[in-house]
Amino acid sequence: MVKENQLSEAIEAALDKKALDSVVLELGELCSFTDYFLVCTGTSSRHIQSISDNIEQVLKPQGERPLHIEGYSEGEWILLDYVDFVIHIFSTRAREFYDLERLWRAGKRHDAHQFLEQRTLTK
């Protein structure tokens, strides 16, 4: 339950910074390294970095820090690995090229807004 609450807070942090096309992929039964992906898009490298910064700022007071961060300086695709969930913040071009949603299509896909609504209803 804690990981879903932290994922919800990460989603809200991304949406607060106007992340676009945010989706959650449930992967718990498909892979061993994480339970969820949050995939979203930023409009520029600075916007992508801002989304990443806000997620880190929101989760840090709870003692949550990413195990690993990749791509921050380039700002085309930032990966934040929180173990139970992994956040992918893409430029439009990088998201289309890597197409994680197609690669992980066996996972259950949720619009981020709907995922938050479902979490609110189940509390």
Side-chain angles (χ1 to χ4, degrees), residues 2-106:
V2 171
K3 66 183 166 190
E4 286 89 357
N5 290 340
Q6 292 168 342
L7 175 58
S8 294
E9 290 184 29
I11 294 167
E12 289 174 0
L15 295 175
D16 284 348
K17 289 296 179 180
K18 311 295 188 227
L20 305 172
D21 303 321
S22 301
V23 298
V24 175
L25 302 175
E26 283 187 58
L27 305 173
E29 300 194 10
L30 300 174
C31 69
S32 60
F33 61 87
T34 194
D35 293 326
Y36 298 96
F37 278 176
L38 169 60
V39 182
C40 61
T41 302
T43 57
S44 67
S45 59
R46 185 63 207 129
H47 183 217
I48 292 166
Q49 291 166 336
S50 176
I51 294 166
S52 174
D53 292 344
N54 200 44
I55 292 168
E56 285 189 80
Q57 285 179 324
V58 165
L59 295 178
K60 188 176 181 179
Q62 301 172 34
E64 288 299 316
R65 298 182 196 284
L67 180 65
H68 189 70
I69 300 171
E70 289 186 30
Y72 186 88
S73 60
E74 296 84 7
E76 280 290 308
W77 172 11
I78 297 177
L79 180 146
L80 301 167
D81 183 353
Y82 284 94
V83 181
D84 292 325
F85 55 93
V86 178
I87 301 167
H88 300 271
I89 311 164
F90 286 103
S91 68
T92 301
R93 182 179 53 196
R95 187 168 180 172
E96 289 172 1
F97 181 80
Y98 291 104
D99 201 4
L100 290 185
E101 290 130 307
R102 183 188 57 77
L103 290 173
W104 292 95
R105 66 182 168 267

